Amino acid sequence: MSLAPPRSRNGRIKIDVLIPAIDKDLETLPFVIDAIRKQVKHPIGKMMIVSPDSPRIKALCAKKKCTFVHERTVLPITKQQIRYRSKRWERSGWLLQQLLKLSGDRLGSSRYFLTMDADTVLIRPHVFRQKGKPVFYCRSWSHPEYFRVSRKLLGRRRTAPSSFVAHYMLFEKAKLAQMKKRIEARHGTRWYQAVLRSIDRSKQFGFSEFELYGNFVYAANPRGVVFKRCLNKSLSQSVKSISAKRIKALAGSFRSLSFHKRRGYSLKPKELKK
């Protein structure tokens, strides 16, 4: 019996999709789902929306033919237990959705799964495997705290030349499971507890699941990955206010659009610290 991942007629590997979401994402989520089906050039298996018990999200899943997954079946911790906040900001939910993405190796049946932020819409075609190598969409700047925590978790300095924070990423389940086992062996506790204990809770941007996994894969085989510029544009307006004509124009310069509403969510870019 062949253990090779299933492929489509054009040779591209089948993938699942995982999107953590809550009710506030319902404005963008339908557009995110539609864009994945249009722009991701892989056959898609399960499209999974991981959420609290929300009738509105369940209704959207039924309408869009997605699989609803209750977040409590994925992780044994809740947003209330994380307690990652200050007097000025609340980041517990932001951290929880990262941990849910890192739990995707327990969901679906495909060897690979794509995670997507629920406020980011693809506007150009995307491929995530190329000549047997994973394709990572990257940017030139990041937050130094992401690398400090990753080093604490895995005992390795950052080695990749770019940042993996692009609002979406393809994970290979076997490599993700290997990374989490390494964290557990190093810290003597469950991987998600190790993450929670490693974060400096005085920092608003204290952890990145994409930097953690991307640098883990890159460190193991630097020549075994493909980098592409993510070319993401952040917008403050409603996704519903963007005309098809403007999206077509933006697609000439960008691959995706992110609709960040919360003040302070997206900071001005700064150069990566080497």
Side-chain angles (χ1 to χ4, degrees):
M1 180 183 294
S2 173
L3 296 179
R7 297 173 181 266
S8 63
R9 290 181 179 179
N10 63 13
R12 289 183 180 147
I13 292 170
K14 180 180 178 180
I15 65 174
D16 290 327
V17 177
L18 186 159
I19 308 173
I22 56 177
D23 277 8
K24 77 170 186 63
D25 298 313
L26 282 165
E27 181 177 323
T28 55
L29 188 55
F31 296 90
V32 174
I33 293 168
D34 291 347
I36 290 171
R37 289 185 168 136
K38 179 180 180 181
Q39 303 292 2
V40 173
K41 301 308 174 183
H42 293 267
I44 293 175
K46 270 190 173 183
M47 178 90 75
M48 298 171 285
I49 310 300
V50 181
S51 166
D53 189 10
S54 164
R56 296 175 66 197
I57 290 182
K58 287 179 179 178
L60 178 66
C61 288
K63 180 180 178 181
K64 293 292 185 180
K65 295 181 172 56
C66 297
T67 299
F68 174 83
V69 181
H70 195 307
E71 64 185 27
R72 289 299 301 273
T73 67
V74 181
L75 268 177
I77 56 174
T78 65
K79 173 183 173 180
Q80 290 70 30
Q81 292 172 306
I82 289 176
R83 296 188 295 275
Y84 180 31
R85 63 178 69 94
S86 74
K87 293 181 179 179
R88 296 183 298 107
W89 44 263
E90 164 61 69
R91 304 291 276 169
S92 302
W94 173 78
L95 181 53
L96 176 63
Q97 60 89 23
Q98 295 190 62
L99 301 180
L100 291 170
K101 291 174 189 173
L102 292 175
S103 302
D105 56 320
R106 301 177 58 243
L107 303 173
S109 58
S110 299
R111 177 176 169 182
Y112 303 92
F113 67 96
L114 172 69
T115 64
M116 178 74 61
D117 286 353
D119 61 3
T120 297
V121 178
L122 302 179
I123 59 173
R124 275 165 55 178
H126 281 65
V127 173
F128 292 92
R129 295 282 300 178
Q130 184 175 304
K131 296 182 179 179
K133 298 178 181 180
V135 176
F136 289 110
Y137 293 86
C138 299
R139 67 187 187 187
S140 61
W141 65 278
S142 193
H143 296 282
E145 193 65 16
Y146 293 164
F147 305 120
R148 186 196 70 79
V149 174
S150 294
R151 184 183 179 188
K152 189 171 182 180
L153 288 169
L154 289 168
R156 293 176 175 175
R157 289 182 178 272
R158 165 186 166 260
T159 56
S162 298
S163 167
F164 292 92
V165 181
H167 308 295
Y168 50 90
M169 176 178 278
L170 185 75
F171 287 84
E172 183 173 351
K173 288 182 177 179
K175 290 181 179 178
L176 176 58
Q178 181 186 17
M179 181 190 77
K180 292 193 292 188
K181 286 180 181 177
R182 190 165 298 180
I183 291 172
E184 291 180 345
R186 177 177 171 83
H187 293 269
T189 188
R190 298 301 304 274
W191 64 271
Y192 51 85
Q193 294 292 356
V195 171
L196 295 177
R197 293 173 185 177
S198 297
I199 293 174
D200 182 345
R201 293 173 183 270
S202 70
K203 306 288 187 179
Q204 186 177 2
F205 297 89
F207 175 69
S208 168
E209 79 284 37
F210 293 151
E211 294 287 25
L212 180 68
Y213 177 78
N215 277 283
F216 175 79
V217 173
Y218 180 84
N221 184 8
R223 295 185 179 181
V225 304
V226 177
F227 288 114
K228 291 187 179 183
R229 293 176 64 196
C230 69
L231 302 177
N232 172 264
K233 182 172 180 61
S234 181
L235 298 173
S236 59
Q237 66 194 99
S238 166
V239 63
K240 295 178 181 178
S241 69
I242 305 288
S243 67
K245 183 178 180 180
R246 188 177 179 214
I247 288 177
K248 185 176 180 180
L250 287 168
S253 302
F254 302 100
R255 299 186 197 270
S256 65
L257 306 175
S258 291
F259 297 87
H260 300 317
K261 284 190 171 182
R262 289 174 295 168
R263 184 174 296 177
Y265 184 91
S266 184
L267 299 182
K268 289 183 179 180
K270 49 188 174 183
E271 292 301 312
L272 279 168
K273 289 190 175 181
K274 299 297 183 182

